[in-house]
């Protein structure tokens, strides 16, 4: 008889993992109020800032795992929840997994995240990254797929790297709280253009390449990112060049920026070469010096996560390099996207 009761409980748990809100007969479900922001400053890394809030239809993903594990789901349907922001009502909607074979989320959303009691009484840990990716369902929070060539932002929650958002108990008599403070994983290169003459110009893109014999700098096209530690995994696909295609027109009175997201890397003198295309023609190559990438602490070099590196150019008959700066803030307009 005892064995039969345990079997029934196991069946109910399986059903609960497939239907949001379904709990064992004697189980409980606790609401988790989630607070999500994009960090504007961090003392340790001087990290982020690409906006300080999320914009309309921006997304992030949440993994609800069994406490103490980053690979076991607490419930199958809450392994890679899709969170979508609506600026109209300043609220998040959460979409639970509907197809456990592919990770596809349901078309119906909910106003809160919940954690449901399991037969083994295990509590839950929460991990978050941005933007949401369905492909991450199969890889888990330790191997979020990224593609630098897509030029899409990549962030992780700072709380992932600590004990925050862990041990959430579905049997709690009170509603629970969780916070996600997102930090950027890429470095942002911003190319600022000024015109010497009042004639229209057209930016057509930029190619960044490794110089022959480069031994320090690395360029990566794709790979996976560990959102629980905030570090890139060793499976990155290295390339000799990245071609960033974008196009916009500007005039002398306009402030024009072109942005590139790169996986962070150290750089030695002459190892990275930029070829900018203006009015359909490639400019003379701009060769990066390591001295440009010295940070304010006088010790740190290279492209670091969350920093913005601004290159200033004046376009005359030639494109002239006019200076360089490193800053903590990311300007939303640099990538031509809405504030996130």
């Amino acid at each position: 008889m005892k064995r039969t009761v345990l079997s029934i409980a196991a069946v109910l748990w399986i059903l609960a993992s497939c239907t949001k809100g379904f709990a064992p007969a004697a189980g409980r479900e606790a609401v988790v109020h989630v607070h999500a922001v994009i960090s504007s400053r961090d003392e340790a890394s001087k990290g982020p800032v690409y906006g300080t809030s999320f914009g309309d239809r921006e997304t992030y993903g949440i993994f609800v795992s069994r406490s103490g594990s980053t690979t076991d789901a607490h419930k199958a349907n809450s392994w890679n929840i899709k969170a979508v922001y609506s600026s109209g009502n300043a609220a998040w909607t959460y979409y639970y997994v509907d197809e456990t074979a592919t990770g596809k989320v349901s078309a119906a959303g909910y106003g809160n995240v919940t954690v449901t009691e399991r037969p083994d009484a295990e509590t839950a840990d929460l991990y978050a990254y941005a933007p949401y990716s369905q492909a991450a369902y199969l890889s888990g929070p330790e191997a979020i797929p990224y593609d630098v060539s897509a030029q899409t932002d990549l962030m992780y929650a700072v709380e992932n790297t600590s004990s925050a958002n862990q041990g959430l108990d579905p049997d709690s008599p009170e509603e629970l709280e969780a916070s996600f403070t997102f930090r950027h994983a890429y470095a942002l290169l911003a190319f600022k253009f000024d015109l010497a003459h009042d004639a229209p110009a057209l930016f057509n893109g930029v190619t960044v390449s490794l110089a022959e014999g480069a031994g320090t700098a690395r360029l990566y096209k794709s790979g996976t990112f560990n959102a629980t530690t905030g570090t890139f995994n060793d499976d990155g696909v290295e390339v000799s060049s990245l071609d960033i295609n974008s196009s916009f027109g500007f005039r002398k009175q306009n402030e024009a920026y072109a942005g590139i997201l790169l996986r962070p890397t150290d750089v030695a003198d002459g190892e990275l070469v930029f070829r900018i295309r203006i009015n359909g023609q490639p400019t003379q190559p701009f060769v990066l010096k390591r001295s440009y990438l010295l940070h304010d602490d006088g010790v740190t070099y290279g492209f670091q996560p969350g920093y913005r590196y601004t290159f200033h150019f004046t376009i005359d008959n030639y494109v002239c390099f006019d200076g360089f700066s490193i800053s903590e803030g990311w300007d939303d307009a640099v990538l031509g996207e809405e504030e996130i």
Side-chain angles (χ1 to χ4, degrees):
M1 180 63 181
K2 183 177 180 180
R3 185 174 302 171
T4 302
V5 172
L6 290 175
S7 298
I8 293 173
V11 170
L12 289 175
W13 179 49
I14 292 171
L15 290 174
S17 72
C18 300
T19 305
K20 193 264 175 197
F22 189 100
R28 293 175 58 90
E29 184 176 73
V31 171
V32 182
H33 294 287
V34 179
H35 310 279
V37 297
I38 300 175
S39 174
S40 59
R41 177 182 171 89
D42 180 79
E43 294 298 336
S45 70
K46 297 182 180 178
V49 193
Y50 177 46
T52 56
S53 62
F54 285 85
D56 195 44
R57 306 305 298 172
E58 294 293 342
T59 67
Y60 69 89
I62 303 174
F63 288 95
V64 182
S65 69
R66 177 179 58 79
S67 280
S69 172
T70 56
T71 58
D72 297 335
H74 190 263
K75 271 176 49 181
N77 71 337
S78 57
W79 187 249
N80 202 28
I81 296 170
K82 181 179 183 179
V84 181
Y85 186 71
S86 170
S87 59
N89 55 13
W92 290 94
T93 301
Y94 304 94
Y95 297 85
Y96 286 73
V97 174
D98 188 48
E99 297 180 5
T100 56
T102 64
K104 182 180 179 181
V105 297
S106 171
Y110 296 83
N112 284 299
V113 173
T114 59
V115 289
T116 304
E117 187 178 40
R118 293 166 37 130
D120 58 9
E122 287 279 4
T123 57
D125 297 343
L126 271 60
Y127 298 94
Y129 70 97
Y132 165 84
S133 167
Q134 182 179 326
Y137 172 79
L138 297 177
S139 59
E142 294 182 328
I144 306 296
Y146 68 87
D147 184 353
V148 177
S149 61
Q151 289 295 283
T152 301
D153 201 6
L154 175 64
M155 296 187 287
Y156 67 100
V158 176
E159 291 79 2
N160 294 352
T161 64
S162 69
S163 59
N165 304 328
Q166 295 185 7
L168 300 182
D169 189 355
D171 196 35
S172 171
E174 299 178 352
E175 294 185 341
L176 305 172
E177 302 280 336
S179 296
F180 298 128
T181 307
F182 288 97
R183 180 181 297 168
H184 297 279
Y186 289 136
L188 171 62
L189 282 61
F191 295 88
K192 182 179 182 296
F193 300 102
D194 295 312
L195 294 176
H197 306 289
D198 190 12
L202 181 65
F203 173 83
N204 304 114
V206 59
T207 299
V208 54
S209 304
L210 289 175
E212 185 176 352
T216 301
R218 296 286 187 272
L219 289 177
Y220 296 89
K221 178 185 181 297
S222 58
T224 62
F225 178 77
N226 189 334
T228 70
T229 61
T231 57
F232 288 89
N233 294 321
D234 294 333
D235 57 2
V237 177
E238 294 191 42
V239 293
S240 59
S241 66
L242 284 170
D243 193 27
I244 310 303
N245 291 307
S246 63
S247 181
F248 60 86
F250 58 99
R251 302 185 67 94
K252 182 177 176 62
Q253 62 268 31
N254 300 135
E255 188 174 66
Y257 284 91
I260 298 177
L261 295 171
L262 289 182
R263 175 173 157 173
T265 182
D266 196 1
V267 180
D269 269 348
E271 289 193 331
L272 283 183
V273 181
F274 299 91
R275 292 176 173 83
I276 302 166
R277 297 183 292 281
I278 300 290
N279 295 331
Q281 299 296 322
T283 66
Q284 290 293 317
F286 169 68
V287 182
L288 187 66
K289 293 182 179 180
R290 189 169 191 261
S291 59
Y292 297 156
L293 305 184
L294 177 62
H295 287 236
D296 290 340
D297 61 8
V299 177
T300 305
Y301 282 93
F303 294 122
Q304 300 294 322
Y307 279 90
R308 166 178 163 169
Y309 301 82
T310 305
F311 302 82
H312 302 267
F313 296 93
T314 296
I315 301 173
D316 198 337
N317 292 329
Y318 301 93
V319 176
C320 305
F321 178 58
D322 285 338
F324 177 80
S325 62
I326 301 175
S327 62
E328 297 169 357
W330 286 27
D331 190 327
D332 304 325
V334 171
L335 293 178
E337 299 176 350
E338 296 181 353
E339 183 181 83
I340 66 169

